[in-house]
Amino acid sequence: PIVADFLALTYAAKMADDFYLRYYQGHHGKFGHEFLEFEFRPDGRLRYANNSNYKNDEMITREVFLSQLVLDEVKRIVEDSEIVKEDDNNWPAPDRVGKQELEVIMNGQHISFTCTKLGSVLQVQQSKDPEGLRVFYYLVQDLKCLVFSLVSAHFKIQPIQK
């Protein structure tokens, strides 16, 4: 997993427009510790790691540098979601299925959410806080989609077939 010195990140976030985001989703199962993790750092670095030991797969790690325009778009997505208004106290706690974590430093706020891995919208709707968890669920879907697009576009070996 991505290990970061919190103090250095906090300082860097303050110095570079106050934005940092980290997402983790993982579990420990019969194939060991399997996880997906990514972070947007204040310097424009996007770090991505995907560890699946299924059929002895190896960990996939990618790192790209993004323009300020892309970072501004990520920040806009987070702001528009209004996730900073939510509270994870009534969300399903991490369990044997796994856990998700979302950490955001933005606009002078530091928020951190933790809950179980969510498999469906039905699970969100049946929770104690369906509105708050819905915000989290769809924000995570948007962020994952963006990260997968950025990473796959950047590392495409032959984008045009002859």
Side-chain angles (χ1 to χ4, degrees):
I2 299 168
V3 179
D5 177 3
F6 175 73
L7 294 175
L9 283 174
T10 303
Y11 178 76
K14 295 285 184 210
M15 299 309 293
D17 200 25
D18 197 30
F19 183 74
Y20 169 79
L21 183 143
R22 183 186 67 83
Y23 173 75
Y24 166 89
Q25 173 185 310
H27 71 276
H28 294 273
K30 68 179 183 178
F31 299 111
H33 183 204
E34 297 183 300
F35 64 88
L36 164 72
E37 186 171 28
F38 57 81
E39 72 176 354
F40 292 92
R41 298 177 59 106
D43 62 358
R45 182 180 301 179
L46 166 61
R47 296 177 69 192
Y48 168 87
N50 189 343
N51 188 38
S52 172
N53 295 322
Y54 179 69
K55 294 188 177 181
N56 296 321
D57 280 348
E58 293 183 13
M59 185 175 352
I60 299 167
T61 58
R62 299 287 185 260
E63 190 172 301
V64 300
F65 281 90
L66 306 172
S67 70
Q68 188 60 48
L69 195 62
V70 175
L71 281 181
D72 289 345
E73 182 63 15
V74 175
K75 187 174 180 179
R76 186 199 61 77
I77 290 168
V78 174
E79 286 174 337
D80 286 356
S81 76
E82 298 185 333
I83 191 71
V84 296
K85 296 179 180 177
E86 302 304 330
D87 185 341
D88 64 355
N89 285 333
N90 290 318
W91 295 359
D95 55 20
R96 64 177 181 77
V97 173
K99 74 175 176 178
Q100 296 183 88
E101 299 173 348
L102 178 67
E103 178 181 9
V104 180
I105 299 172
M106 181 175 71
N107 300 332
Q109 290 184 294
H110 180 196
I111 58 171
S112 184
F113 299 101
T114 303
C115 68
T116 189
K117 281 173 59 176
L118 300 169
S120 69
V121 176
L122 181 62
Q123 189 178 3
V124 170
Q125 292 169 342
Q126 294 174 342
S127 74
K128 292 179 185 174
D129 179 16
E131 282 305 308
L133 199 54
R134 181 187 58 76
V135 170
F136 176 81
Y137 180 82
Y138 285 114
L139 173 60
V140 165
Q141 295 301 316
D142 290 346
L143 291 172
K144 281 192 207 176
C145 185
L146 177 62
V147 167
F148 292 150
S149 295
L150 290 168
V151 169
S152 66
H154 185 80
F155 287 98
K156 195 77 93 177
I157 295 172
Q158 292 181 333
I160 301 172
Q161 296 289 328
K162 290 186 179 186

